[in-house]
Amino acid sequence: MRHAHHSSITASRRQFVGGLAAFGATAIAAGRSALGQPASSIGKLIDTHHHYYPPEIIRAWSDYSAARKQMPLPPLVAHWQPKTSLAEMDGSGVASAVLSLASIPGVWFGLDAAGMRRMARLCNEFAAKMAADHRGRYARFAALPMPDVEGSLKEIEYAFDTLKADGINLPTSFGDRWPGDPAFKPVFEELNRRKATVFFHPYAPNCCAGLKTGIPDGVLEFPYDTGRAIVSLLFSGTLARLRGIKYLFSHGGGVMPMLAGRVAYFARLRKDIKEIAPQGVIAELQRLYYDTANAAWAPSMAGLSKLVPASQIVFGTDFPYVKTQLQKEQLLRDGLSPAALAAIAHENAVRLVPRLQA
């Protein structure tokens, strides 16, 4: 496993954060969407894409960056505490949130397999305590020490059976491999056996991290890698074979809504098309779930809502990198019908994470 690409990823993440405000200021005002008439109230709100940072993660990340003479962590990460999460939720009307690690991914930082196992366990126990300390406010997607398959299988057992996690949190790639890689088959088969919800957060892989100087990975590579992950799962037959998993992808599916037709067109030439997509590629993509984190903008939602029904979209924010209120307001401007808005705001999240029903 190579780790040199983390330098550009870390710097890019900070550039991305800095550019979000400018992007928000220039975003296209939403018109009416295909989902119906505009709604004026969002009601109960569940954030399915809400990051947390245990002190050990912050220290490990800071040490990793300092050793490579990178810029210090942005304040919103370096000074993260549970109270900052609760303040953001309370200030923007979020009733509950699902905790997950960000896309670095948080269990690496140049760690060996044993170190990744320790960090994953530490993070999962921290999230469990945070949820216990603030009952009713949090659900949890557990981290795995991927690509360590043996360690991941052990952590799946502990996360679900002991910590009672609500799902699994994975990056879209693992250095130079994607989730459909045959090596990861045992992990996904176990998740399928448990009928788990699996949340994918994007990542800049070895091939493309810092590919273009001046363009942060979060602007282009993250949405591209979400597309790569989906196609990897599709073409490997994982989506068709493991029907028990509920797959959730960040940022409106990244490039997938734009490329869905293209992927379907070329996939039809595959000899195994009936095995990997028994009812067609589009049908496979429509079974997946997608969050609105930094994707509630009118053009993004227009593409996503043409690909999938409102029943497959959940509200997400990418906190602390994007302000919740900004995305809430944008969603309200997207012309959603009251029924579609309620589904996206909370109903679909409850289907993915039953604990949130309370």
Side-chain angles (χ1 to χ4, degrees):
M1 175 57 62
R2 302 190 301 273
H3 298 283
H5 63 291
H6 282 286
S7 174
S8 58
I9 294 172
T10 305
S12 297
R13 188 71 169 178
R14 282 188 285 276
Q15 290 176 316
F16 180 48
V17 173
L20 286 172
F23 178 72
T26 57
I28 299 173
R32 294 176 182 267
S33 78
L35 294 178
Q37 298 300 311
S40 58
S41 175
I42 205 163
K44 180 182 179 181
L45 199 57
I46 294 173
D47 180 4
T48 62
H49 187 148
H50 194 94
H51 297 311
Y52 71 104
Y53 296 92
E56 291 82 359
I57 278 277
I58 295 173
R59 284 197 294 271
W61 191 356
S62 296
D63 292 346
Y64 185 86
S65 298
R68 287 153 184 78
K69 298 182 179 179
Q70 299 169 359
M71 294 176 61
L73 300 185
L76 49 79
V77 172
H79 304 307
W80 181 94
Q81 297 180 51
K83 66 181 181 181
T84 63
S85 166
L86 289 165
E88 177 77 3
M89 293 166 63
D90 292 342
S92 53
V94 172
S96 52
V98 186
L99 298 172
S100 63
L101 293 177
S103 61
I104 294 306
V107 295
W108 286 15
F109 306 118
L111 300 173
D112 58 13
M116 288 194 297
R117 292 185 186 190
R118 287 194 299 271
M119 188 65 81
R121 177 64 56 88
L122 181 154
C123 290
N124 293 336
E125 290 182 340
F126 181 95
K129 185 177 186 306
M130 187 171 163
D133 289 345
H134 306 283
R135 294 195 180 278
R137 303 305 303 273
Y138 295 111
R140 299 161 282 124
F141 290 147
L144 300 181
M146 287 284 277
D148 173 9
V149 171
E150 181 182 353
S152 293
L153 289 172
K154 291 179 179 178
E155 194 60 27
I156 289 171
E157 180 180 13
Y158 183 76
F160 283 121
D161 297 345
T162 300
L163 298 181
K164 309 302 180 184
D166 299 284
I168 294 297
N169 169 199
L170 291 175
T172 50
S173 59
F174 312 93
D176 53 10
R177 290 184 289 176
W178 282 265
D181 190 301
F184 306 140
K185 185 177 178 181
V187 171
F188 284 93
E189 287 182 338
E190 175 61 12
L191 294 174
N192 184 70
R193 185 184 74 80
R194 290 176 176 269
K195 301 187 183 306
T197 294
V198 181
F199 169 68
F200 289 88
H201 195 283
Y203 183 56
N206 286 352
C207 66
C208 308
L211 186 62
K212 181 66 175 175
T213 302
I215 300 179
D217 292 332
V219 173
L220 293 179
E221 277 310 314
F222 284 10
Y224 288 161
D225 210 53
T226 298
R228 294 185 191 108
I230 294 172
V231 172
S232 172
L233 291 164
L234 171 68
F235 280 15
S236 67
T238 305
L239 295 183
R241 185 168 54 87
L242 304 181
R243 310 297 271 188
I245 295 175
K246 295 180 285 292
Y247 301 88
L248 171 59
F249 291 90
S250 302
H251 310 139
V255 299
M256 207 64 244
M258 180 63 71
L259 298 182
R262 181 183 180 90
V263 171
Y265 178 80
F266 286 106
R268 83 191 200 287
L269 303 176
R270 293 176 59 105
K271 293 181 180 179
D272 62 350
I273 186 61
K274 291 299 183 181
E275 287 72 43
I276 68 171
Q279 298 176 330
V281 167
I282 299 302
E284 290 301 317
L285 299 179
Q286 289 175 334
R287 290 196 307 108
L288 310 178
Y289 289 85
Y290 306 85
D291 76 35
T292 66
N294 204 18
W297 315 106
S300 303
M301 285 295 289
L304 181 59
S305 65
K306 286 290 186 179
L307 176 62
V308 301
S311 63
Q312 303 308 114
I313 305 172
V314 295
F315 182 74
T317 68
D318 216 349
F319 171 82
Y321 299 101
V322 189
K323 285 292 184 182
T324 303
Q325 189 64 29
L326 171 67
Q327 298 179 84
K328 175 182 176 181
E329 292 171 357
Q330 183 59 44
L331 198 63
L332 283 168
R333 288 196 293 267
D334 280 342
L336 301 169
S337 69
L341 193 61
I344 293 169
H346 63 271
E347 291 173 0
N348 300 336
V350 170
R351 191 163 64 251
L352 281 172
V353 184
R355 183 195 305 272
L356 297 171
Q357 181 65 58

